[in-house]
Amino acid sequence: EGERVDCFPDGSASQQKCLERGCCWSPLSETNVPWCFFSKNHGYSVVSESKPDSTREFSLMDAPSLFGADIKELTFSAEMQTENRLRFKITDANQARFEVPHEHVQSLSDTPRGPLKYRLELIQKPFGLKVWRTTSPEKLLFDTTVGPLVFADQYLQLSAKLSSHNIYGLGEHVHQTFRHDTNWRTWPIFTRAAFPNGGTHNLYGHYPYFTCLEDASGQSFGVFLMNSNAMEVTVQPAPAVTFRTIGGVLDFYILVGETPETVVDEFTKLIGRPFIPPYWSLGFQLSRWDYGSLEEVKKVVERNRQAGLPYDVQYTDIDYMENKKIFTYDMEKFAELPQFADYMHDKGQKYIVILDPAVSTGQRINGPYEALERGHAAKAWVTEPDGVWPGETVFPDYTNQACIDWWVDEISRFHKEVKHDALWIDMNEVANFVKGGINGCTDNKLNYPPFTPSILDDLMYSKTLCMDAKHKWGNHYDVHSLYGYSMVLATDKASKATFGTSRSMIFTRSSFPGVGKYSGHWLGDNGANWNDIKWAIPGMLEFNLFGIPYIGADICGFFDDSTEELCTRWMQVGAFYPFSRNHNAQGYADQDPAAYGFDSLVVNTSRHYLNIRYTLLPYLYTLFYKAHVNGETVVRPVMHEFYSDSETRAVHKQFMWGAHLLITPVLDPGVEFVNAYIPDAIWYNFETGVKITDRKATINMYLPEDKIGLHMRGGGILPVQRPDVTTTYSRRHPMGLIVALNDNKAASGELFWDDGDSRGISEGLANNSKLFFFYSSLGYQDPNNLKFENITVLGVTAAPALVTVSDGNTVLNLKNLELELGKDYTVNWEAKISANIDCYPEGGENQAKCEARGCIWEVRERQYSTLVPRCYYAENHGYITSNKVETPSGITVDIDRNTEFPSQRSRSRDISKLRVDITYLSGRSLRWKIFDPENARYEVPVPLHLPATPETVEENRDYRVQINDKPFGIQVIRKGTEEVIWDSAVPGFTFSDQFLQISTRLPSEYVYGFGETEHPTYKHSLNFHKYGLFAKDQPPGYKLNSYGVHPFYMGLEKSKNAHGVLLLNSNAMDVTFQPTPALTYHTIGGILDFYMVMGPTPEEVVQQYTEMIGRPVLPAYWSLGFQLCRYGYSNDTEIADLYRDMKAAQIPYDVQYADIDYMERQMDFTLDQVNFKGLPALVDQMRAEGMRFIFILDPAIAGNETKGSYPAFDTGIEKNVFIKWPPELSNDIVWGKLFRAFAAFPDFFKTSTAEWWGEQIKDFYNNIMKFDGLWIDMNEPASFVHGTAGENCLGNKDLEDPPYMPPLESMHRGLKHKTLCMNSEQILADGTRVKHYDVHNLYGWAHTKPTYDALLSTTGKRGVIVTRSTYPSSGRWAGHWLGDNYSAWDQLLKSIIGMCLFISGKISITGADICGFFNVAEYEMCLRWMQLGAFYPFSRNHNTINMPRQDPVAWGPEFAAASRDVLNIRYTLLPYLYTLMYEAHAHGNTVVRPMLHEFVTDEKTWGIDKQFLWGPALLITPALDPGVTVVKGYLPYGVWYDYHTGKAIRTAGEFVDMDAPLEKINLHVRAGHILPWQKPENSTHYSRQNTLGLIIALNDGGVAKGSLFWDDGEGIGEFLALKGSWSIAFDNKITPTLTPTLYLNDSINKIDKNTFFHYLN
């Protein structure tokens, strides 16, 4: 029903009449829905076409006529005018018709320079067209197939279905809401002198234009019908629109934009950019119709001057004229009018006069009406069809050059007689006080057309001229709505001739698209009532869409008396109208503010808010400049800035100035609380500077009678100026800036400045500083030598300690700066923000406990966040420096504990004297080590690759280091940007035996890293989140410490640089973030040994980090294939059946695992001879067929077997490989338990243990079963008892339950929970004895290298190791899976986050258990996970015992087919993935890459974690939620190619909707890159035998580059390899030039010469 197109728009339909028109009849209970509607048999069909000029010819299909005079043959033409603008025109094929003679809109001779953002599709029969947005997937924007094309001589109709209900525009009407009601509303468009009283009738302007916001991406489009005839537009629920016009042609423009603002940009490019008004016209203005005399005018002026109101302009309405005759003045009541302008100028004010177009034919009182006589002589008038205009009034024909010349001359003459500063033109719809003429209008088809749109009075010539009146441009029927437009063009010529180089201005009542290039507009003759104050806001917003930003309503209302409350509220909001004028009508009470009394609320609130307006005029003027240059809106809908927030789309009682000032007026009587929407940003109360806490919420805003809501958006800098009573005076005052910091503590802004009055605005000069852009008119020097005086910064959380200005001036505050206008300055402040470091991180604090530690206790209100520490360190708490020695290679400092403060923990001895060694490792890395110089403490035995010699040349270093003395702290400052990227000069530094604490301020809130814990987002939230780090057999869960420990993070800086920090400490620890932003480390042992790498890009951070800890291992090629595993295979037959089924389904598959099921009673190096006796033979068979097999090994060795029956244990005892108690406690093994056996744990630090472990692996391979890789699990180490059998740990209890316990899982059970006793002893390779307390987190690390070495020596091939527990540098030997996850939708996203964290921590081979380890998987989730998992580097489907199977063949043929399809893509791209693995191994590059690594300059990528890249070139956008068929993905700036279709998508950096049916994952290839590929097979054994090819994704320059690493896929040592890199370029003939760089060893097969190139262009 919502798509019915009305076949009876003329009304009074009946079934018979409907059927006579060949239409469908279907009555409904709703009368507003058409009962008579078009069938599919109406319209035209295409009979010929000519593609070169995009023309088509149509013929009318056989159907009854609606209104007669159907045009049988039509011509259609289309112009792709720009990348964003499509024009199509439909007209009579045989006879010329009227077309709007627009002075700015022309056909373009140039063709678009870039790819089109739209695609036009034509439908042949019945004719229709569709306009698509060329996104991926494409979006249908405008579809005319919803209804027929109708084209008769006096009835033209076209309907179009739209992409959304978010429709704005069409005019001029009173729209009570900004967003259109799509429930069958019809809006007539035909200029008319009528009152804007809330009906649906047509008003002064003619705007067949609307904008449609498509969706939350912000993408929008505009539709403009260039037609000036009377028309109506119906908006209906489909959503759809129907245009019905009664003449001319159908000349449509479709404007495609990425945001609503860019659509306005496109529209104003088409029709003409808005003029920039003179500065004074932005001041407050007063007017009324019928002051009665000039003496009364002056009384009004004087009383408002005395009231101290900012006030720039005074008007006189038609009462200044002699008997309302234009170009005259009343020489009795306005005798001194010629001197009035000087009277105003004396006080810096301006004077504006009104002019109507109508010229009276009567004589003047004292002589001839010379202006009339000169008009007669010039033949300047609109005429009747016979050429004579009868009656009391004539109307100038502004389309006639003779009339224009007369008009210019008369205005110039009048200005010489009565000086004035600008012109107000009224009544130019054109208005007439009789219908047509004094003799009526002739009965003909122009005055009485066959169809009359639903215009006011249903009569074409009501209150205007007869439609057959003649203009130079044509019949009044065609040009009526152009009358005001043509008058504006003529008046602009007169203004230029009269005012010369002075800009002056025009504002008009009647308008047409393009008027804004020359004129402003007011919203007409409103009423003094609460409805009209409301409806003014949608009106202003619409005229900003129409390209007329100089807009406002008559403040306090034109008709009727205004109450003091109404006028108070209206003056408040009117102070923020761009055109701010108080104006009322003849016969009503005065309503200028001073008329209410000098002490009235009206005066006081008017003065207050007009002062704020004048303060902000530099900002408002800059907005007009940006409108003039860029087409931006000035008054802006909230939706334009926050389009992704659906709540903003219907906001019409609030508006914005530009992007940064939100205005919330009171629009109802007796109201002090207003429902106000606060969009998603930081907002500051403009008047108080206080940040409001609400965001993205509707609040009840308190606005008493003297207040309006004004809020400044964080991130903006507003130029301001000290206000005065006129702009003449205010422009002489010093300027200032109001800086509102956003979430990132950043802000930017702009200022345009010139003399405010001269014509000829220059757009060429822009002076750029870091925070602020200043534009001036070329060569302009301000005569007042203006300076920036005050800078106000909102959002600074503490008083700055120091403020500096970049030219060397230093001041103590931000006042009296005297920064000269036009010069560049950077103002920096060092905000010594108190970080309020928690003094009681273990919890349980109270005031007494807090103060006993010498800390500050802060009593807070109940509503205060409980996360914020209320017990925190005093500013000087910590250590004090002494004996600082600086050398070219670093700094050494001794530090002493500040004994003014008591010791923190009696159980943890303070170490009062420490040494700090800072070493400049290289130009981009440094180390600082804090340790006890007198007593050696445990230090991490993980070897790092550090430069042989420090960087001693200061100029070669990207950083400098400063030491703060009290409290001690280290500051690392990046040269170039001067950003402090590490700053530990905060209170609370502690170094005791079992509690070490250090905090640092962070340069931004963008921090990534730390693990292994489950993070809900890749970017950390800094809202006092704390994460414990301690290796544990703990499945992933929120803030639960899991298998590995990685005390490394990467931080982004506001300059968009990146750095990384590693704390080389292996004790249990935690890290706490806080919003300052700051970070606190707590560790319970060792020393503080920090390493920093400087980047400056995220990718370089990882490269430098891996250069230090060791590059990731290059895995065997086959290990990149798909892998299957489960815990719970019952026997070898089950594995054999799975293998058979996977082969039958032809699903690519390389690796099969066996979990602990294959073992005899879960014991390493054994085989279950009952259930898995046939496994060795099966493994041999599978390997012979190209498959690979991996077995699991746990570190724990069963110890309760009969002696001699379990060689692994027996030889372990002989070689003394197991962890024991310290000799002073016992000589026994520290027994744990795993599965059913008591277990001993090998000490892998010992060389003898590594040898023993290798022997066991080799023996298993040679004598029991072959394998290709090893999977080592449970190596945190995990135990099924707590500490030891019997759970009685010997020795120091403070090691098991330390004085400070990090927030670990089951922390109340102590560190021994599910692992070994902390007092257990391990022995390093050099013989050093250490406590498990110190090296627990290194157990998995120590386990990994011996396993890797054993694999290589046993198999003679590279293989792969997969380990559960990791520490920095584990990636040198192994990959890692993300542990025992759950079958749940949220795990898909968390797996991406986990991969990105491990890739950044440099374990390249990583991925999650596809479909989840625990719990029952469900079909859709598992399929989506298979699609995502196909792009894990480590791609394995794995689940646990007693759960249903979830391998790809377990779900049925459709699931298997979808899995096969996505794995075929993976296998196709394995040469690219393998090359990435090599680049990671050789150079430290990331394989899976967070988007910010490639696009760090695009801040939108900093928080993206639902997408990821393979290397630089392949973007993966998975579906992560149930039931979705469309996913929203971000495409950074540039060209991207849909992997599946090859279609190019050009983007400016935006979120787009991507089709995601259940069988598809979205993949995009980045332009400029070449990806090697290979035809997939069922395993890599076969795919590697196929020819290689290249996917070449050309950029705009026709260039792409790529590389390939290729070897045998499993060799050890120096790789016998081919390394290839290509660059490719196309000349104008589309001929490729391939430039290869190949290094080929003869022992490797060459790439086939017939390489297949796949061009995505």
Side-chain angles (χ1 to χ4, degrees), residues 1115-1123 1433 1435 1466-1467 1470 1473-1474 1477:
Y1117 192 97
W1118 56 259
S1119 71
L1120 303 182
F1122 180 61
Q1123 312 185 23
S1435 181
R1466 178 189 181 89
Y1467 275 60
L1470 281 187
L1473 179 60
Y1474 191 56
M1477 287 287 179

Side-chain angles (χ1 to χ4, degrees), residues 266 387 605 690 801 808 829 878 1033 1039 1063 1071 1085 1132 1174 1359 1537 1555 1575:
E266 288 296 329
T605 198
V690 174
W829 62 89
D1033 173 19
K1039 291 192 177 180
L1063 170 58
V1071 292
D1132 50 47
Y1537 297 92
D1555 281 340
K1575 182 176 178 294

Side-chain angles (χ1 to χ4, degrees), residues 596-610:
Y596 291 89
F598 287 168
D599 293 327
S600 67
L601 181 60
V602 175
V603 163
N604 289 329
T605 198
S606 298
R607 184 191 305 113
H608 177 70
Y609 285 108
L610 288 174

Side-chain angles (χ1 to χ4, degrees), residues 1012 1014 1036 1043 1121-1125 1153 1271 1362-1363 1375-1396 1398-1399 1403-1414 1422 1424-1439 1446 1466 1488 1508 1520:
E1012 182 173 7
E1014 183 181 273
Y1043 316 103
F1122 180 61
Q1123 312 185 23
L1124 278 178
C1125 181
Y1153 284 71
W1271 166 27
V1362 184
T1363 180
H1376 169 69
W1377 87 107
L1378 297 177
D1380 297 342
N1381 58 359
Y1382 292 85
S1383 293
W1385 278 98
D1386 70 318
Q1387 294 294 311
L1388 278 74
L1389 170 59
K1390 289 173 181 175
S1391 74
I1392 299 175
I1393 296 165
M1395 276 199 306
C1396 290
F1398 271 96
I1399 286 287
I1403 297 179
S1404 293
I1405 312 159
T1406 186
D1409 281 348
I1410 296 170
C1411 301
F1413 182 72
F1414 290 117
C1422 192
R1424 290 301 196 189
W1425 210 332
M1426 280 295 299
Q1427 292 166 354
L1428 168 60
F1431 297 93
Y1432 292 164
F1434 175 62
S1435 181
R1436 182 181 74 166
N1437 182 311
H1438 178 214
N1439 71 328
Q1446 61 187 36
R1466 178 189 181 89
V1488 161
F1508 58 96
L1520 304 174

Side-chain angles (χ1 to χ4, degrees), residues 554 674 1166:
D554 282 346
V674 170
T1166 67

